[in-house]
Amino acid sequence: MKLSNRQQEIINLVKEYQPITSEALAEKLGLTRAAIRADLSILTMIDILDARPKVGYIYSGKSSNGFLYDYITEIKAHEIMSKPITVSEETMVYDAIVFLFLNDVGTLFVENDGVLTGAVSRKDFLKIAIGGTDIHKVPIGVIMTRMPNIICGDKNDNAYDLAKKIIEHEIDSIPIVESLEKIGDKEQFKIIGKVSKTNVTKLFVKLGK
Amino acid sequence: MKLSNRQQEIINLVKEYQPITSEALAEKLGLTRAAIRADLSILTMIDILDARPKVGYIYSGKSSNGFLYDYITEIKAHEIMSKPITVSEETMVYDAIVFLFLNDVGTLFVENDGVLTGAVSRKDFLKIAIGGTDIHKVPIGVIMTRMPNIICGDKNDNAYDLAKKIIEHEIDSIPIVESLEKIGDKEQFKIIGKVSKTNVTKLFVKLGK
């Protein structure tokens, strides 16, 4: 959405003279109030200007992409997540890496009796693979990042918050989980999906379509 | 940007009766033309409706996120790219992997006398690392993906096209290059940046801010 020159001019006038009434704006532009009504509606609607009754227009300080925030926070994890690829803790590192390639994913999640217990990324695998350990003899349970040290998400988390978590925690992928009944005081989760940088990039492409 | 109920009603009427004039629309809504003028301006501006002079309004068939396309195609590679990490073809695979970890990147680019000659991803490294080769004795030039088999981008390519390339070609990262003088009939490039899924995810978070 590109703003017209007149809309840009209105924003600049509001920034300079706020609060300013539509009459005053129209006068400064040499136009009638009716002529700028649509522009003012648009600028208010997309949150660039705030209309204060009996006071006038003020600049919201927001950029023209406040509407983008509204848009991308409406998209939920369950709409963009993909199928998680899981292995058991006993899987040997070598076999897990082969499984990673077969499924062409960047992260494997580790399950024990239907409960998410860990995650291993391509980076973790590469580290162990060059470390001189015999990867045929080490089970994945030994090298995985273990719960609760994994950033998880809920199926109703929005795309923006998930992408933010990925960037802030410098991770590739977030498991989307559902809470299971507690065993003692330990909260347990079942993995139902994952949202990765790939899912976010796909969403980005879809948005532009 | 959320459409109001009235705007949604207008869209539905246009879909049903197109082409339809603003008078006819106003009548169907039991309103004056002036009352719906701003709504029609907005719907036309965000490309949901097309206004055909002397004919009336028609439905463009576009969804309300056409404006998103405009927005993200205005963002260029040079605004979002990050510094590429490069090594020479002679670097041993083991040393290259250590360098990858030190720089915390997913892809290394390979340069020869300032010319981009190849790229190696974490996935390529993992494949060779578990393959039984002595990674201390194999230079990266042997395992890299070699030009011209690398999808490259230009600093003026837009964010949408780059993200689309990443998804379509199932790659993690696109080197942003500048053309150098040809040696014979072979086009050569210098790498000046890279755009990865991380850059796209960061942009996505920035858009929502």
Side-chain angles (χ1 to χ4, degrees), chain B residues 138-158:
Chain B
V138 177
I140 204 173
V142 173
I143 66 154
M144 71 185 191
T145 302
R146 195 170 280 277
M147 286 291 277
N149 303 318
I150 299 171
I151 309 290
C152 296
D154 180 271
K155 70 175 188 292
N156 293 315
D157 284 350
N158 72 60

Side-chain angles (χ1 to χ4, degrees), chain B residues 19-180:
Chain B
I20 180 169
T21 62
S22 57
E23 289 91 334
L25 272 170
E27 204 189 309
K28 290 197 185 291
L29 290 162
L31 296 165
T32 64
R33 266 182 76 188
I36 61 167
R37 192 178 295 146
D39 292 319
L40 287 171
S41 301
I42 290 168
L43 293 173
T44 312
M45 191 173 160
I46 62 180
D47 284 340
I48 294 181
L49 300 185
D50 279 342
R52 300 263 167 95
K54 298 186 187 170
V55 178
Y57 288 89
I58 61 164
Y59 178 60
S60 71
K62 287 182 199 162
S63 72
S64 60
N65 51 356
F67 63 93
L68 269 172
Y69 179 79
D70 290 347
Y71 196 88
I72 63 188
T73 53
E74 266 171 40
I75 300 162
K76 306 301 179 196
H78 63 88
E79 299 171 63
I80 58 166
M81 71 190 188
S82 48
K83 202 171 148 269
I85 304 296
T86 59
V87 290
S88 76
E89 291 193 16
E90 291 75 35
T91 314
M92 291 303 154
V93 168
Y94 180 85
D95 298 328
I97 295 175
V98 172
F99 196 61
L100 186 87
F101 278 113
L102 282 176
N103 287 282
D104 199 19
V105 287
T107 303
L108 290 181
F109 295 99
V110 185
E111 265 183 344
N112 210 352
D113 289 332
V115 175
L116 176 68
T117 59
V120 192
S121 71
R122 217 178 261 161
K123 199 166 149 183
D124 300 326
F125 280 128
L126 187 56
K127 207 175 283 171
I128 185 95
I130 66 163
T133 342
D134 185 348
I135 57 175
H136 292 273
K137 289 186 180 156
V138 177
I140 204 173
V142 173
I143 66 154
M144 71 185 191
T145 302
R146 195 170 280 277
M147 286 291 277
N149 303 318
I150 299 171
I151 309 290
C152 296
D154 180 271
K155 70 175 188 292
N156 293 315
D157 284 350
N158 72 60
Y160 171 75
D161 287 341
L162 290 168
K164 206 160 152 253
K165 270 187 185 176
I166 287 175
I167 295 303
E168 283 176 356
H169 297 278
E170 297 183 11
I171 48 181
D172 283 321
S173 180
I174 293 179
I176 305 301
V177 298
E178 265 173 11
S179 194
L180 294 168

Side-chain angles (χ1 to χ4, degrees), chain A residues 109-185:
Chain A
F109 295 99
V110 185
E111 266 183 343
N112 209 352
D113 288 332
V115 175
L116 176 68
T117 58
V120 192
S121 70
R122 217 179 262 160
K123 200 166 148 181
D124 300 325
F125 280 129
L126 187 56
K127 207 176 283 170
I128 185 94
I130 65 163
T133 342
D134 186 349
I135 56 175
H136 292 272
K137 289 184 181 159
V138 177
I140 203 172
V142 173
I143 66 154
M144 71 186 191
T145 302
R146 196 169 279 277
M147 286 292 277
N149 303 318
I150 299 171
I151 309 290
C152 296
D154 180 271
K155 68 175 189 294
N156 293 315
D157 284 351
N158 71 59
Y160 171 75
D161 287 340
L162 290 169
K164 206 161 151 253
K165 270 188 184 175
I166 288 175
I167 294 303
E168 283 176 357
H169 297 278
E170 297 184 11
I171 49 182
D172 283 322
S173 179
I174 293 179
I176 305 301
V177 298
E178 266 173 11
S179 194
L180 294 168
E181 276 187 48
K182 281 189 185 180
I183 310 275
D185 56 355

